[in-house]
């Protein structure tokens, strides 16, 4: 382990330190290791992983008011804890008042679910923790985690004890470190799978999560590993992704992508043109993380994501550094995997490779509850299942369902508001946490998404059968794109707008025609066009009806939205 107050040692064949851009960007590999901002100073002062002992031995005993501010708004994140937004603070004040004025004395707790893989026992424990400590709150995130709210610091030792008793943890669920690893929710069971990435997910989490040598990165680091031909982990938006690909000589393995990310400077990941065998994925992953640690930009937080490094270097240089400085060997060239066909979300009833079935059900914008998670676990166990999966669409899968039990399970989950045969709107609307709990948010999102689903089901019932591919509607409470607004058919970015009477109200800037896979690209913004929150239902209905009237044969919503005039989209 590297002492927390020292920078990790440099790998071999490192370029010598020199003046110039490296200094301007604060790159460790070029000799610029001095703390460059408050976040870097905090990490240098004490490795954030060390804060757990203070939580357990000091803060849990003395209460919220005893927490050191540098722990509260910094190091707590490495253990999955963010302070919630204090109630009653309007969106107009977001970013205009001091952090301590936004802080509530309660926390959001993010539970890592690497690969989206849960047992029914683990799901039940999460539900029980929610009911005991979190006012029965639970959200499934678009990164396959589960988030709880209203958590008290006094309860964290008991919560960790209960989670870890069933193999769950919150280590590095947030912070400038390797966060949860996205994985195909049908890994190991799908008949069309290229390769099962589960062993790589497990090896990485076992070897590297909580490793102090990787716990001080320039900013957060997002990983995805999927061997599904559906490419079901939004790999285009992650810092590093391994996507199933067949090599003509060596067989199944992974195609390597780096440098994706959204927020205010969105960039799609780029292929490095390499083929990685399953057994090499952990080693290559570790090398990519180290490149980010050593060469990533640390001077300015808004330049500290790996996407900026990849954009400046390009794929060729990144691969050269990876091979020469970190792996010490060349990687095999490999072909690009085919573009995915069909839906990526696994909603519905599908046969597994073993003859059983998995059932994918939708939540509305990820909002569930602890009680509902317990009921899902019990429903699964009644039909003989012990495995649950979360998805990047904020949904749930129940695996290993015997054929005769499928319809009974579907009916039972339907009664819980989790649908295997949902409307296209219940299937395609996503939302971030929003102003209810998030200190960065400007507008409300979760309840708005729920109302929007019901509104669109009513408004567009007559054309439901005409929408072959669900039109995605993603709502975000601020510009940070946690709900992937830039790659949705209709992306709604929260901001304050003026209504017809000139009043400042909650609303959204609109992004149209974004997508991933075959339609990969960012949605277009119509200059000056915004909608109030109250107008969203009217606006989406108008857009969808116009699309259905004007589309050409087999034209997707994204293709139509990028073809027509601005006037057609307002």
């Amino acid at each position: 382990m590297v002492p927390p107050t020292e920078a990790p040692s440099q790998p071999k064949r490192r370029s010598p330190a020199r003046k110039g851009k490296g200094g301007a960007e604060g790159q460790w590999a070029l000799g610029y290791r001095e703390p460059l901002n408050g976040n870097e100073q905090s990490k240098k002062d004490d490795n954030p992983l060390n804060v757990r002992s203070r939580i357990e031995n000091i803060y849990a005993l003395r209460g919220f008011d005893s927490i050191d501010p540098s722990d509260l708004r910094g190091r707590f994140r490495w253990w999955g804890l963010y302070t919630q937004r204090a109630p009653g603070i309007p969106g107009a004040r977001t970013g205009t008042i001091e952090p301590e004025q936004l802080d509530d004395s309660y926390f959001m707790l993010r539970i890592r679910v690497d690969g989206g893989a849960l047992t029914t026992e683990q799901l039940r424990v999460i539900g029980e923790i929610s009911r005991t400590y979190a006012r029965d709150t639970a959200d499934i995130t678009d990164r396959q985690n589960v988030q709880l709210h209203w958590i008290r610091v006094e309860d964290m030792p008991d919560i960790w004890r209960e989670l870890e008793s069933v193999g769950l943890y919150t280590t590095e669920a947030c912070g400038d470190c390797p966060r949860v690893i996205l994985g195909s929710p049908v890994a190991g069971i799908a008949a069309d799978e290229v390769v099962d990435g589960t062993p790589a997910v497990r090896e990485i989490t076992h070897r590297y999560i909580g490793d102090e040598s990787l716990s001080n990165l320039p900013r957060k680091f997002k990983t995805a590993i999927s061997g599904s031909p559906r490419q079901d982990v939004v790999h285009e938006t992650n810092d590093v992704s391994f996507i199933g690909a067949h090599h003509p000589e060596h067989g199944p393995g992974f195609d390597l992508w780096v440098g994706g990310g959204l927020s205010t400077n969105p960039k799609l990941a780029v292929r490095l043109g390499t083929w990685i065998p399953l057994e090499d994925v952990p080693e290559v992953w570790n090398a990519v993380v180290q490149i980010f640690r050593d060469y990533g930009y640390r001077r300015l937080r808004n330049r500290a994501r790996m996407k900026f490094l990849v954009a400046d270097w390009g794929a060729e240089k990144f691969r050269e550094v990876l091979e020469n400085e970190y792996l010490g060997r060349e990687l095999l060239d490999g072909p690009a995997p085919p573009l995915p066909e069909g839906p990526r979300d696994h909603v519905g009833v599908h046969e597994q490779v073993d003859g059983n079935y998995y059932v994918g059900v939708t939540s509305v914008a990820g909002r569930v509850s602890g009680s509902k998670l317990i009921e899902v676990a019990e429903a699964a166990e009644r039909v003989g299942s012990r495995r649950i999966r979360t998805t990047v669409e904020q949904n749930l899968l129940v695996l290993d369902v015997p054929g005769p039990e499928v319809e009974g399970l579907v009916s039972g989950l339907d009664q819980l508001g989790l649908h295997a045969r949902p409307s296209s709107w219940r299937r395609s609307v996503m939302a971030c946490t929003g102003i209810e709990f998030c200190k960065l948010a400007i507008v409300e999102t979760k309840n708005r998404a729920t109302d929007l689903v019901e509104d669109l089901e009513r408004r567009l019932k007559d054309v439901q059968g005409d929408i072959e591919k669900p039109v995605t509607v993603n709502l975000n409470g601020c510009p940070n794109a946690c709900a992937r607004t830039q790659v949705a058919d209709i992306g709604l970015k929260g901001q304050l707008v003026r209504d017809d009477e000139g009043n400042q109200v909650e609303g959204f800037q609109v992004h149209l025609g974004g997508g991933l896979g075959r339609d990969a690209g960012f949605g277009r913004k119509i200059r000056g066009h915004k909608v109030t929150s109250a107008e969203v239902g009217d606006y989406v209905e108008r857009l969808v009806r116009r699309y259905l009237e004007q589309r050409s044969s087999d034209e997707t919503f994204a293709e139509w939205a990028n073809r027509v005039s601005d006037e057609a989209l307002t």
Side-chain angles (χ1 to χ4, degrees):
M1 290 292 185
V2 176
T5 56
E6 297 179 11
S9 59
Q10 299 183 34
K12 297 178 181 179
R13 292 178 293 280
R14 179 64 48 78
S15 302
R18 59 184 182 274
K19 295 181 180 179
K21 187 172 182 178
E25 298 285 13
Q27 294 170 282
W28 279 2
L30 302 183
Y32 299 97
R33 301 190 180 198
E34 288 301 313
L36 302 169
N37 56 50
N39 296 88
E40 292 299 307
Q41 182 66 58
S42 175
K43 291 181 287 183
K44 182 180 181 182
D45 289 344
D46 184 32
N47 190 298
L49 292 172
N50 295 334
V51 79
R52 176 162 171 171
S53 64
R54 293 195 289 277
I55 294 173
E56 293 178 313
N57 299 314
I58 300 175
Y59 303 142
L61 302 176
R62 300 180 184 175
F64 183 86
D65 291 339
S66 70
I67 302 172
D68 185 284
S70 62
D71 285 342
L72 180 66
R73 300 183 192 96
R75 302 182 189 100
F76 267 44
R77 298 176 185 178
W78 274 250
W79 289 97
L81 290 161
Y82 283 97
T83 48
Q84 291 181 180
R85 185 188 190 93
I89 300 176
R93 302 201 69 191
T94 300
T96 67
I97 59 178
E98 295 301 316
E100 59 268 20
Q101 294 176 280
L102 278 169
D103 288 333
D104 200 354
S105 59
Y106 295 94
F107 293 87
M108 177 206 81
L109 176 65
R110 183 176 295 160
I111 301 167
R112 285 184 75 119
V113 186
D114 289 285
L118 291 166
T119 66
T120 51
E121 180 187 24
Q122 289 172 329
L123 190 67
R124 181 183 292 105
V125 166
I126 293 173
E128 290 169 349
I129 289 172
S130 168
R131 292 207 300 199
T132 303
Y133 303 106
R135 303 187 187 180
D136 206 27
T137 59
D139 290 334
I140 303 164
T141 77
D142 63 356
R143 296 202 61 79
Q144 299 182 284
N145 294 309
V146 179
Q147 290 181 177
L148 309 180
H149 297 283
W150 300 110
I151 298 295
R152 302 186 317 145
V153 71
E154 292 90 340
D155 295 324
M156 280 310 304
D158 289 333
I159 291 171
W160 277 323
R161 190 157 41 248
E162 292 181 33
L163 287 173
E164 291 165 4
S165 72
V166 291
L168 292 171
Y169 52 103
T170 69
T171 315
E172 297 185 327
C174 316
D176 299 348
C177 53
R179 299 192 182 183
V180 68
I181 300 172
L182 301 185
S184 173
V186 295
I189 65 167
D192 62 351
E193 187 171 52
V194 178
V195 58
D196 181 2
T198 303
V201 174
R202 289 176 176 168
E203 182 70 8
I204 291 169
T205 56
H206 174 71
R207 288 173 59 184
Y208 298 117
I209 301 308
D211 181 346
E212 289 188 7
S213 72
L214 301 180
S215 65
N216 180 358
L217 304 180
R219 281 198 71 181
K220 58 188 173 184
F221 187 86
K222 297 182 177 182
T223 302
I225 300 173
S226 174
S228 171
R230 294 176 183 256
Q231 299 171 10
D232 49 7
V233 288
V234 292
H235 64 278
E236 302 97 327
T237 66
N238 285 273
D239 295 289
V240 64
S241 295
F242 298 84
I243 299 301
H246 277 284
H247 191 283
E249 298 177 20
H250 302 284
F254 293 91
D255 192 43
L256 179 59
W257 296 60
V258 297
L262 297 177
S263 192
T264 52
N265 289 283
K267 299 182 187 300
L268 294 179
V270 298
R271 293 185 61 239
L272 295 190
T274 66
W275 178 86
I276 312 295
L278 174 63
E279 60 270 20
D280 288 354
V281 168
E283 176 196 15
V284 174
W285 178 90
N286 183 40
V288 172
V289 179
Q290 290 182 72
I291 290 175
F292 179 49
R293 179 194 67 194
D294 300 337
Y295 281 105
Y297 303 153
R298 292 177 181 262
R299 183 174 292 279
L300 299 175
R301 290 287 285 178
N302 62 4
R303 287 267 298 166
R305 291 296 303 276
M306 195 167 83
K307 61 187 178 183
F308 295 102
L309 178 66
V310 173
D312 288 346
W313 278 10
E316 183 177 352
K317 178 176 178 179
F318 193 97
R319 179 172 172 176
E320 178 185 338
V321 172
L322 174 65
E323 293 175 334
N324 295 338
E325 296 188 18
Y326 289 83
L327 295 174
R329 59 185 172 87
E330 292 186 358
L331 297 170
L332 289 172
D333 291 339
L339 289 170
E341 298 288 347
R344 290 169 144 184
D345 61 9
H346 303 292
V347 169
V349 178
H350 305 271
E351 189 170 4
Q352 298 178 179
V353 70
D354 62 2
N356 286 321
Y357 292 81
Y358 69 86
V359 177
V361 294
T362 61
S363 68
V364 176
R367 179 55 53 88
V368 284
S369 67
S371 296
K372 186 172 291 189
L373 295 180
I374 292 171
E375 290 181 282
V376 170
E378 292 174 345
E381 290 174 350
R382 281 196 295 271
V383 300
S385 170
R386 294 293 185 274
R387 294 197 291 172
I388 305 292
R389 296 291 181 267
T390 57
T391 81
V392 297
E393 287 83 23
Q394 303 176 320
N395 295 327
L396 287 170
L397 273 60
V398 180
L399 309 188
D400 309 325
V401 182
E405 304 288 352
V406 165
E407 288 306 317
L409 178 64
V410 168
S411 177
L413 294 176
D414 190 74
Q415 293 175 30
L416 297 176
L418 300 170
H419 303 291
R421 301 181 180 100
S423 71
S424 62
W425 305 111
R426 200 163 290 270
R427 184 171 185 168
S428 62
V429 172
M430 178 186 294
C432 72
T433 300
I435 202 170
E436 181 181 10
F437 297 116
C438 179
K439 293 182 294 182
L440 300 178
I442 301 167
V443 304
E444 202 283 325
T445 56
K446 289 290 190 186
N447 292 330
R448 186 69 193 89
T450 300
D451 292 343
L452 180 62
V453 167
E454 296 173 355
D455 193 19
L456 293 176
E457 286 178 334
R458 174 181 55 81
R459 288 172 178 265
L460 294 165
K461 185 176 181 180
D462 61 312
V463 296
Q464 172 70 31
D466 298 327
I467 305 173
E468 295 84 5
K469 179 183 177 183
V471 177
T472 56
V473 183
N474 295 18
L475 295 84
N476 217 81
C478 77
N480 287 325
C482 295
R484 304 199 295 268
T485 44
Q486 293 114 322
V487 291
D489 289 315
I490 303 173
L492 301 172
K493 182 177 74 175
Q495 59 182 230
L496 298 177
V497 302
R498 298 286 178 181
D499 64 14
D500 292 339
E501 298 177 356
N503 300 309
Q504 191 178 63
V505 297
E506 291 191 359
F508 299 92
Q509 183 184 61
V510 180
H511 298 249
L512 296 172
L516 298 172
R518 194 168 295 278
D519 294 323
F522 302 123
R524 61 189 282 196
K525 292 183 286 186
I526 311 304
R527 182 177 295 276
H529 181 56
K530 301 175 180 63
V531 295
T532 68
S533 183
E535 294 171 334
V536 167
D538 289 333
Y539 178 64
V540 174
E541 179 188 10
R542 185 164 67 248
L543 272 183
V544 171
R545 290 190 182 278
R546 201 171 289 166
Y547 158 62
L548 294 175
E549 292 168 0
Q550 298 178 4
R551 65 180 175 176
S552 60
S553 177
D554 297 327
E555 189 173 37
T556 66
F557 182 92
E559 291 168 337
W560 171 79
N562 283 294
R563 172 176 62 82
V564 300
S565 66
D566 286 0
E567 289 72 24
L569 300 174
T570 59

